[in-house]
């Protein structure tokens, strides 16, 4: 090959790498986002960061493309006078083609720790002197919700022939030089089946068995693409190697995938956008939503301006005396203790923000609109757990106003006047959200819930994660330190206790009752409606960490047909994605605010309760309210 031909070939590789680098942002549009309805905060992606970091390994792949382009640019600038350049460009371009072909990309260049198998012969003992119990096995592409692994290998015929020659030379040397007593047993002698391709295939299969599909006990399907290996008459062992890999159970592809580098560029980006998730007709409500439903902020007339919201929830000021006669002489006449930057002012600012949010996006308006759009002829059914119901009742006795308590009492009531009592005094007419009253309490055998399709991969992973977190809490509760019921402990305390026994601990942002509510919704295949944004973000992060730590809980059985469910995530022939079922529906919180309004009597027992709670710990109050 002349220098000109070589430079033209490298220039072609350089241009293909550059095209791949420019097209990476479009790949992200094909990455399935978690089926989460995220109302009111479109910029706050609860599932993944809306950038290249949303796919583990893609940032490193981008860096490798840039590095290869820089290396080729330097070589092309210097011309033929320099030494030959060793480029990994063909490998990266092959991986790029597989990335584009993947229907739902999970990760790029992920390694899976796999138990180390004992060496089979002296040659392997010489080559692999590892002390670790596990070896990392690289998978170039993980796709289709973890059901598919793809490994790209660019080994050439010449390289495999060199391996065969090395094996032959090793065997011949033993036969010629060694004494008969020193000969390696025939079962340990290297042969052509010890070549690198078959060893790689064996390690991929072992890794797949050790890391089943999340939520199941089945291993992922392993594909191996040999881009440069071709059977040849002079070396039959190459064809035998390919046959052996297929016999092992690997889905083998030979040759380069047809280039689709321009396919993404030819599509309109809007054709890759995913449809918004659709909630189920049965809705699971957690504690934060129960609080939001009865909150004065949700029902009261909305402030017309942000200034009016600030005026409505300006910090209440506690008088340090009960009657004027107890006041100091210089303060007699009703002087007040000035508000500080304490729990009162923090909580008041939060209430102002929530009132402004309600003014822009009413909670009941959004719920009503969503169901009218998707289920115009059906009435939704709302459920909650007995734990959430009971916790709500306890909260009502502490900080709720009289109207909020009345709504909470009517929320689960089956009395004929329950709906009228709930909507009394609201800016909304009675029955504005159909099916809301009464909220039903989950039971283990609820015959009224229709048997739905198998759990989606996301719900299966959500269930696994919730169980994993709760199992850690239960282990902590069984220790001598956890004498107190962990359900009543702050999450920070629980996390510290779990961390003493495990290398992983739940996020302090998680609340245990929220985890239990999400687990219940996942098990019943319902959309969980929650205002606990912080817990959802923490839980999705934990799902991701568990998934890539490959933590697997023993399942009672398979989780339906994952392949059938994945069809809803794939791009159809028309380039439009079917809308997935929403696993989570996240809204902004609404706290109990009736006793914190500026028009309330600051010396009333209710206001005293609210002030005590807010001064003690505003953050704890907001957490208790279900944020």
């Amino acid at each position: 090959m002349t220098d000109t031909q070589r430079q033209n070939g490298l220039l072609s590789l350089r241009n293909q790498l550059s095209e791949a680098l420019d097209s990476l942002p479009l790949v992200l549009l094909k990455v399935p986002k978690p089926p989460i309805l995220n109302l009111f905060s479109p910029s706050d992606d609860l599932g993944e960061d809306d950038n290249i970091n949303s796919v583990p390994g893609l940032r490193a792949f981008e860096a490798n493309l840039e590095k290869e382009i820089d290396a080729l640019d330097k070589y092309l600038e210097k011309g033929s006078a320099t030494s030959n350049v060793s480029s990994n460009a063909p490998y990266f371009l092959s991986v790029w083609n597989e990335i584009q072909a993947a229907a739902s990309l999970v990760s790029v260049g992920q390694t899976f720790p796999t138990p180390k198998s004992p060496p089979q012969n002296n040659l392997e003992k010489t080559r692999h002197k590892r002390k670790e119990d596990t070896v990392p096995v690289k998978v170039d592409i993980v796709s289709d919700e973890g059901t598919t692994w793809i490994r790209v290998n660019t080994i050439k015929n010449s390289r495999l022939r060199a391996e065969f020659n090395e094996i032959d030379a090793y065997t011949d040397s033993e036969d010629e030089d060694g004494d008969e007593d020193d000969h390696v047993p025939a079962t340990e002698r290297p042969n052509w089946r010890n070549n690198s391709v078959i060893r790689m295939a064996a390690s991929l299969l072992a890794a797949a068995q050790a890391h089943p599909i999340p939520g199941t006990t089945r291993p992922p399907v392993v594909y191996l693409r040999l881009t440069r290996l071709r059977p040849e008459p002079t070396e039959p062992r190459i064809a035998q190697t390919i046959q052996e890999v297929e016999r092992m159970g690997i889905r083998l592809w030979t040759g380069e995938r047809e280039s689709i580098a321009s396919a993404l560029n030819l599509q309109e980006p809007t054709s890759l956008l995913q449809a918004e998730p659709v909630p189920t007709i049965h809705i699971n409500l957690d504690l934060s939503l129960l609080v939001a439903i009865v909150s004065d902020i949700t029902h009261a007339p909305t402030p017309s301006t942000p200034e009016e919201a600030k005026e409505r929830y300006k910090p209440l000021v506690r008088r340090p005396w009960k009657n004027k006669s107890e006041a100091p002489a210089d303060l007699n006449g009703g002087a007040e203790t000035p508000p500080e930057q304490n729990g009162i002012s923090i909580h008041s600012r939060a209430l102002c923000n929530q009132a402004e949010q309600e003014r822009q996006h009413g909670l009941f308006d959004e719920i009503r609109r969503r169901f009218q759009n998707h289920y115009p002829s059906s009435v939704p059914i709302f459920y909650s757990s007995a734990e959430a119901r009971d916790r709500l009742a306890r909260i009502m006795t502490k900080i709720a106003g009289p109207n909020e308590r009345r709504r909470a009492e009517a929320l689960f009531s089956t009395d004929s006047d329950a709906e009228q009592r709930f909507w009394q005094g609201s800016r909304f007419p009675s029955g504005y959200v159909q099916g809301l009253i009464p909220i039903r309490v989950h039971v283990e055998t609820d015959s009224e819930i229709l048997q739905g399709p198998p759990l989606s991969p996301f719900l299966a992973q959500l269930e696994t994660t919730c169980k994993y977190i709760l199992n850690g809490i239960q282990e902590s509760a069984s220790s001598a330190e956890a004498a107190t019921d962990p359900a009543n402990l702050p999450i920070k305390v629980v996390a510290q206790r779990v961390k003493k026994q495990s290398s992983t601990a739940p996020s302090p942002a998680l609340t245990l009752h929220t985890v239990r509510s999400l687990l219940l919704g996942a098990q019943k295949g319902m959309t969980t409606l929650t205002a606990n944004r912080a817990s959802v973000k923490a839980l999705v992060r934990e799902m991701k960490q568990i998934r890539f730590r490959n933590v697997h809980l023993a399942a009672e059985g398979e989780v339906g047909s994952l392949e059938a469910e994945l069809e809803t995530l794939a791009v159809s022939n028309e380039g439009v994605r079917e809308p997935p079922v929403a696993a989570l529906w996240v809204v902004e919180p609404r706290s109990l605010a009736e006793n914190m309004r500026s028009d309330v009597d600051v010396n009333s027992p209710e206001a005293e309760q609210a002030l005590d709670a807010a001064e003690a710990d505003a953050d704890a109050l907001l957490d208790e309210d279900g944020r």
Side-chain angles (χ1 to χ4, degrees):
M1 179 184 295
T2 66
D3 288 343
T4 301
Q5 291 174 326
R6 178 174 176 78
Q7 284 197 325
N8 289 339
L10 293 176
L11 180 61
S12 176
L13 287 176
R14 191 264 179 218
N15 292 337
Q16 292 178 62
L17 290 172
S18 180
E19 184 179 1
L21 187 63
D22 293 340
S23 299
L24 273 179
L26 292 177
V27 171
L28 296 174
L29 295 177
K30 293 179 60 179
V31 177
K33 293 186 178 296
I36 300 176
L37 278 172
N38 183 20
L39 297 183
F40 313 147
S41 297
S43 62
D44 183 13
D45 191 339
L46 293 171
E48 305 283 356
D49 295 331
D50 192 17
N51 54 41
I52 200 167
N53 291 318
S54 63
V55 178
L58 200 58
R59 174 67 71 186
F61 182 74
E62 179 189 46
N64 286 329
L65 291 182
E66 293 173 344
K67 183 178 178 181
E68 286 297 315
I69 291 172
D70 289 342
L72 290 173
D73 284 342
K74 291 178 181 178
Y75 176 82
L76 292 171
E77 287 176 3
K78 294 179 180 179
S80 59
T82 62
S83 60
N84 290 337
V85 61
S86 177
S87 175
N88 292 317
Y91 165 75
F92 290 123
L93 288 175
S94 297
V95 173
W96 167 241
N97 283 334
E98 300 302 330
I99 289 175
Q100 294 182 94
S104 60
L105 191 63
V106 174
S107 66
V108 177
Q110 184 179 351
T111 57
F112 293 87
T114 306
K116 185 180 179 182
S117 58
Q120 299 297 317
N121 50 57
N122 288 341
L123 182 60
E124 289 189 4
K125 292 178 183 179
T126 303
R127 286 178 171 176
H128 304 286
K129 294 181 179 180
R130 297 180 183 268
K131 296 181 180 180
E132 297 84 356
D133 294 331
T134 61
V135 292
V137 176
K138 183 181 179 182
V139 178
D140 291 305
I141 308 293
V142 179
S143 64
D144 301 335
E145 293 297 309
T147 63
T148 300
W149 288 7
I150 300 174
R151 177 68 183 270
V152 174
N153 188 287
T154 56
I155 189 172
K156 295 181 180 180
N157 286 25
S158 57
R159 169 69 182 276
L160 197 55
R161 284 198 305 270
E163 289 188 30
F164 292 148
N165 293 336
E166 182 181 356
I167 292 172
D168 292 342
Y170 182 88
T171 304
D172 294 342
S173 175
E174 279 200 337
D175 290 340
E176 294 174 2
D177 301 334
D179 294 333
E180 187 172 350
D181 293 338
D182 296 331
H183 283 175
V184 177
T187 55
E188 294 189 10
R189 289 190 181 188
N191 55 53
W192 65 268
R193 289 185 174 85
N194 294 320
N195 67 69
S196 60
V197 175
I198 292 180
R199 289 200 307 270
M200 178 180 58
S203 65
L204 285 169
L205 289 176
Q209 291 292 336
H211 302 282
I213 299 168
T216 77
T217 57
R218 290 176 294 161
V221 178
V222 180
Y223 290 83
L224 176 61
R225 180 170 291 282
L226 300 173
T227 61
R228 297 181 173 183
L229 202 61
R230 302 286 189 278
E232 61 179 43
T234 59
E235 180 50 85
R237 287 177 293 185
I238 294 179
Q240 292 170 356
T241 294
I242 294 175
Q243 294 171 1
E244 180 69 13
V245 170
E246 291 179 322
R247 187 194 63 79
M248 295 167 66
I250 297 281
R251 307 285 181 89
L252 188 64
W253 296 325
T254 57
E256 187 70 69
R257 179 185 290 275
E258 290 186 11
S259 178
I260 53 175
S262 60
L264 287 175
N265 295 329
L266 293 175
Q267 296 186 53
E268 289 291 333
T270 54
S271 68
L272 298 174
L273 295 178
Q274 300 172 45
E276 188 176 46
V278 176
T280 56
I281 192 68
H282 299 91
I283 297 294
N284 176 47
L285 304 177
D286 74 343
L287 176 62
S288 66
L289 239 295
L290 299 182
V291 170
I293 285 173
V294 302
S295 170
D296 179 74
I297 293 177
T298 306
H299 290 267
T302 56
S304 56
T305 62
E307 290 70 25
E308 184 179 336
K310 293 179 182 179
E311 185 65 24
R312 179 179 297 181
Y313 296 109
K314 67 181 180 181
L316 298 180
V317 181
R318 184 194 300 275
R319 299 177 187 270
W321 51 86
K322 293 298 181 184
N323 18 82
K324 292 182 180 180
S325 62
E326 300 175 3
D330 57 338
L331 293 180
N332 198 11
E336 300 172 341
T337 303
E340 303 292 341
Q341 295 299 317
N342 53 18
I344 298 175
S345 59
I346 293 173
H347 191 41
S348 294
R349 286 197 298 272
L351 296 179
C352 290
N353 293 335
Q354 292 177 22
E356 178 63 16
Q357 183 66 57
E358 178 68 21
R359 182 177 74 88
Q360 297 178 10
H361 304 283
L363 175 61
F364 288 142
D365 291 330
E366 292 290 347
I367 295 176
R368 176 185 169 96
R369 177 184 61 83
R370 187 74 59 178
F371 284 109
Q372 285 182 340
N373 288 345
H374 295 297
Y375 305 102
S377 59
S378 301
V379 176
I381 302 177
F382 296 87
Y383 291 81
S384 192
S385 66
E387 178 191 22
R389 177 198 59 191
D390 297 341
R391 289 178 67 89
L392 177 70
R394 292 197 298 269
I395 293 173
M396 291 297 107
T397 63
K398 295 179 181 179
I399 55 176
N403 292 315
E404 291 168 334
R405 286 197 294 269
R406 170 176 46 78
R407 296 187 196 106
E409 290 168 358
L411 208 53
F412 293 88
S413 174
T414 56
D415 294 343
S416 59
D417 65 339
E419 185 151 13
Q420 185 273 331
R421 286 188 287 119
F422 177 82
W423 295 102
Q424 180 184 342
S426 174
R427 74 176 191 270
F428 300 100
S430 180
Y432 186 73
V433 176
Q434 288 185 302
L436 182 61
I437 307 298
I439 293 175
R440 308 185 187 194
V441 178
H442 287 294
V443 292
E444 291 299 323
T445 56
D446 195 339
S447 59
E448 297 184 27
I449 300 178
L450 299 178
Q451 182 65 37
L455 290 179
S456 69
F458 185 87
L459 281 177
Q461 293 169 36
L462 178 62
E463 179 182 358
T464 297
T465 303
C466 290
K467 286 181 178 179
Y468 179 75
I469 293 172
L470 295 176
N471 285 350
I473 302 300
Q474 291 171 1
E475 291 176 4
S476 176
S478 63
S479 67
E481 286 184 271
T484 308
D485 181 6
N488 297 321
L489 288 176
I491 191 67
K492 294 179 181 179
V493 176
V494 176
Q496 291 172 355
R497 293 182 177 180
V498 175
K499 194 170 184 179
K500 291 180 180 180
Q501 301 183 15
S502 172
S503 59
T504 59
S507 167
L510 286 169
T511 55
L512 296 185
H513 58 82
T514 300
V515 175
R516 284 189 283 264
S517 291
L518 294 177
L519 173 60
L520 192 58
Q523 289 175 327
K524 292 184 177 289
M526 292 183 180
T527 298
T528 296
L529 181 55
T530 177
N532 200 330
R533 184 174 297 272
S535 279
V536 169
K537 292 183 72 173
L539 190 63
V540 172
R541 284 196 299 269
E542 187 68 15
M543 288 176 66
K544 184 176 179 180
Q545 292 171 4
I546 285 178
R547 178 173 187 169
F548 288 99
R549 285 198 306 263
N550 294 285
V551 175
H552 178 67
L553 300 183
E556 296 180 359
E558 298 295 336
V559 188
S561 174
L562 280 174
E563 288 78 6
E565 180 66 27
L566 288 171
E567 291 179 2
T568 64
L569 298 175
V571 180
S572 68
N573 293 333
E574 293 77 23
V576 179
R577 293 180 186 270
E578 294 293 330
V581 174
L584 303 174
W585 182 355
V586 186
V587 297
E588 295 293 337
R590 272 80 170 169
S591 300
L592 298 175
E594 189 173 355
N595 287 333
M596 292 294 291
R597 292 177 58 147
S598 57
D599 54 4
V600 73
D601 181 3
V602 74
N603 289 316
S604 67
E606 293 82 4
E608 288 291 328
Q609 282 183 325
L611 285 165
D612 286 338
E615 282 185 329
D617 188 347
D619 291 336
L621 176 63
L622 295 177
D623 287 341
E624 186 73 359
D625 283 349
R627 283 196 70 180

